[in-house]
Amino acid sequence: MGEFELIRRYFTRSSANAVLGIGDDAALVAPSAGMQLAIAADTMVEGRHFFPGTDPHSLGWKALAVNLSDMAAMGADPRWFTLCLTLPSVDERWLSGFAEGLFALADRFGVSLIGGDTTSGPLSISIQIIGEVPVGRALRRSGAQAGDDVWLSGVTGAAALAVRQRMGEVVVGDLEREFCAGKLDRPEPRVVLGQALRGIATSAIDVSDGLLADLGHIAKASGVQILLDQWAIPLPPLSVRAELLDELVLSGGDDYELVFTAPASRRTLVEDLALSAGVSLTRIGMVEAGNGVALFGRDGHIVQPHKAGFDHFLN
Ligand code: ADP
Ligand code: MG
């Protein structure tokens, strides 16, 4: 099977929301009136972002999920995406599993595949996503204000335990392994929540590198200090030793939850949002004048976290 047949068979779907989809030299889309485009991209390289042999359905799901998560963090409505796929060979079983995972999520959020590129080489998946957000209303990292609350969706830590387990660093029971694998392989992008936070959150980011590291980005971009209460940060139901659990929750990464700031006056509104968006929201700290992220341990003293997060060129 050649390149064109491969694209036709596995990736050409109706793209009703585009003016012109797959098949020409470029796709054409028409932005809606009063909207700005929000554009993000994420690449996943075998052996670097995922383990060799990861099932293709999960890869299709996750490659899109991490991009949808960027849309969520901006409060944008995801609309279109492109897919640049580098494949070592044409493996039809792999391709159909990958396409299934990819389109399962695409259909759920009404986002259309409108183009891409297909090449041969070491397995790598790169998606660029385009969303829309009302002019001037995107959630940025830079809007946190002294006095704001800090909120976290869901629970962090489980995806990072799946990574440790697959690297052979920890041994966990079957049920826990499955739970963590689900979090790592099929994250739930918080798209509905992100859009609902427009006009409420003053800043937002999705947790990809670790809770502390990503909050550090908000603190820096906003020119504020973030104070976290460790006792308030939710823990996943994992039976690992306490120090490891804390490390996973604070610095693990790959969670794709949203962490955001909002004025204290909006507390009830945020709590109501948790119900309408169908995700738990926990108040984990507050914003003050200053810089960086400080963590108050369970005894009320400031603790020095072991390791902040992941950086491709520092780790
Ligand atoms: P060109 O030679 O102009 O770069 P290609 O031959 O690479 O075009 O691609 C042909 C068409 O198929 C284009 O519309 C391109 O956007 C689309 N396409 C290529 N690869 C993919 C892919 N992996 N997923 C979706 N569309 C793709
Ligand atoms: Mg091309």
Side-chain angles (χ1 to χ4, degrees):
M1 183 172 39
E3 181 189 330
F4 299 108
E5 177 57 14
L6 184 160
I7 296 163
R8 192 193 64 75
R9 195 175 297 179
Y10 293 103
F11 298 115
T12 306
R13 294 273 219 94
S14 91
S15 44
N17 68 356
V19 177
L20 184 63
I22 292 173
D24 214 310
D25 294 306
L28 298 172
V29 299
S32 315
M35 303 294 250
Q36 286 175 328
L37 298 181
I39 304 172
D42 256 302
T43 297
M44 296 186 356
V45 176
E46 185 177 55
R48 191 66 185 158
H49 301 91
F50 59 91
F51 292 91
T54 300
D55 87 274
H57 190 281
S58 296
L59 289 177
W61 175 286
K62 183 156 180 178
L64 185 57
V66 300
N67 279 278
L68 288 167
S69 179
D70 284 326
M71 294 290 103
M74 296 303 285
D77 175 13
R79 303 268 286 150
W80 310 282
F81 69 103
T82 61
L83 168 67
C84 294
L85 202 52
T86 305
L87 301 169
S89 64
V90 176
D91 174 345
E92 294 218 48
R93 205 193 55 81
W94 190 95
L95 279 162
S96 65
F98 177 84
E100 230 175 76
L102 181 80
F103 287 119
L105 201 55
D107 292 347
R108 228 175 78 192
F109 290 103
V111 54
S112 302
L113 178 58
I114 55 167
D117 201 18
T118 307
T119 54
S120 69
L123 182 58
S124 152
I125 304 151
S126 189
I127 286 181
Q128 180 168 58
I129 194 162
I130 305 166
E132 294 186 310
V133 60
V135 173
R137 301 197 56 208
L139 306 176
R140 302 189 184 193
R141 298 176 179 185
S142 55
Q145 302 276 341
D148 284 353
D149 294 326
V150 179
W151 295 86
L152 173 70
S153 75
V155 182
T156 58
L161 185 60
V163 173
R164 302 283 180 99
Q165 182 266 324
R166 285 180 198 178
M167 286 177 25
E169 289 176 8
V170 287
V171 177
V172 297
D174 286 353
L175 272 179
E176 277 184 295
R177 195 185 63 235
E178 261 175 55
F179 171 76
C180 295
K183 295 284 184 185
L184 178 66
D185 294 336
R186 285 178 302 283
E188 271 297 320
R190 304 300 186 189
V191 175
V192 174
L193 174 65
Q195 289 177 56
L197 285 172
R198 291 198 304 248
I200 297 174
T202 51
S203 72
I205 192 169
D206 63 326
V207 183
S208 54
D209 295 335
L211 184 59
L212 294 177
D214 287 316
L215 274 171
H217 296 311
I218 286 188
K220 189 160 188 208
S222 299
V224 295
Q225 183 177 36
I226 288 177
L227 305 177
L228 292 181
D229 284 316
Q230 193 164 20
W231 63 262
I233 300 174
L235 299 175
L238 301 171
S239 59
V240 296
R241 62 194 166 77
E243 309 82 68
L244 175 59
L245 191 61
D246 284 342
E247 189 190 326
L248 295 168
V249 164
L250 295 169
S251 313
D254 259 309
D255 305 291
Y256 301 100
E257 293 297 346
L258 291 186
V259 62
F260 59 93
T261 57
S265 60
R266 299 302 190 98
R267 240 171 240 178
T268 354
L269 212 57
V270 174
E271 278 157 3
D272 291 346
L273 269 190
L275 294 178
S276 59
V279 56
S280 66
L281 293 177
T282 313
R283 194 151 53 85
I284 60 170
M286 60 179 302
V287 180
E288 289 206 340
N291 59 71
V293 179
L295 176 68
F296 287 95
R298 294 188 185 84
D299 60 359
H301 293 107
I302 290 203
V303 291
Q304 198 56 50
H306 173 66
K307 173 173 165 266
F310 186 79
D311 183 313
H312 273 273
F313 296 102
L314 296 178
N315 286 269

